[in-house]
Amino acid sequence: MSAQIPVKVKVKTVINKEPFELTAFGRYSEKGDSTYLQYDEMMPEGTIHTTIKLKNGEVVILRKGAVDMRLHFITNKKTPGTFNTELGLMLTEADTKKVAIGEGQVEIHYDLDIQGSYAGTYHMNIQYEEVSE
């Protein structure tokens, strides 16, 4: 894996028109033809370690810790994922409308089903820039 570069990550998510924002400091690295963004989210329930993998127009988001979740996004495809809760493992399906990966940013539009039930329409914008440590 290439050197890990410190980055500032801004995540803006709109869920059913309700906005949420997160700013975190993390790491950016490349391995082969994949790019990785990693950062930690501090929540009242505990820390969530998030890894975002970008490869060939696809995005995989892995969250571990207080929330365990795996989401996979490919434009115009329905992709399976998982969401682990205190009630057990729930299956998700992301119906991805758009994935746009650009220099320092990722945009994802998708509808999410959890256990076969519609959970909402999501618009996620992730921006990252190198910072000095």
Side-chain angles (χ1 to χ4, degrees):
M1 194 172 278
S2 71
Q4 295 199 346
I5 298 166
V7 290
K8 180 179 182 180
V9 181
K10 288 184 180 179
V11 181
K12 293 181 183 176
T13 306
V14 178
I15 306 169
N16 300 328
K17 300 183 180 171
E18 184 74 31
F20 297 91
E21 288 192 30
L22 164 77
T23 300
F25 289 90
R27 297 163 305 287
Y28 167 95
S29 59
E30 294 178 355
K31 182 178 181 182
D33 56 359
S34 297
T35 298
Y36 296 87
L37 275 175
Q38 297 174 301
Y39 59 89
D40 290 340
E41 275 179 75
M42 306 306 169
M43 307 280 281
E45 308 88 281
T47 301
I48 302 169
H49 307 288
T50 301
T51 300
I52 301 171
K53 178 182 176 184
L54 312 171
K55 179 181 177 181
N56 301 330
E58 293 183 33
V59 178
V60 176
I61 298 177
L62 301 169
R63 301 174 84 202
K64 297 274 180 218
V67 171
D68 285 349
M69 180 183 273
R70 181 184 192 283
L71 294 172
H72 186 188
F73 306 102
I74 304 170
T75 300
N76 296 323
K77 292 211 184 301
K78 291 184 179 182
T79 49
T82 55
F83 181 38
N84 209 350
T85 70
E86 62 279 351
L87 303 174
L89 187 67
M90 295 196 288
L91 300 179
T92 65
E93 183 178 71
D95 183 359
T96 307
K97 310 300 183 193
K98 176 182 180 180
V99 172
I101 300 172
E103 189 66 37
Q105 75 170 24
V106 180
E107 185 179 4
I108 309 166
H109 292 226
Y110 62 100
D111 290 335
L112 185 67
D113 286 354
I114 299 176
Q115 288 296 106
S117 295
Y118 176 73
T121 296
Y122 292 68
H123 178 187
M124 183 181 295
N125 194 318
I126 303 162
Q127 295 182 313
Y128 54 96
E129 61 185 3
E130 187 173 343
V131 293
S132 54
E133 285 192 285

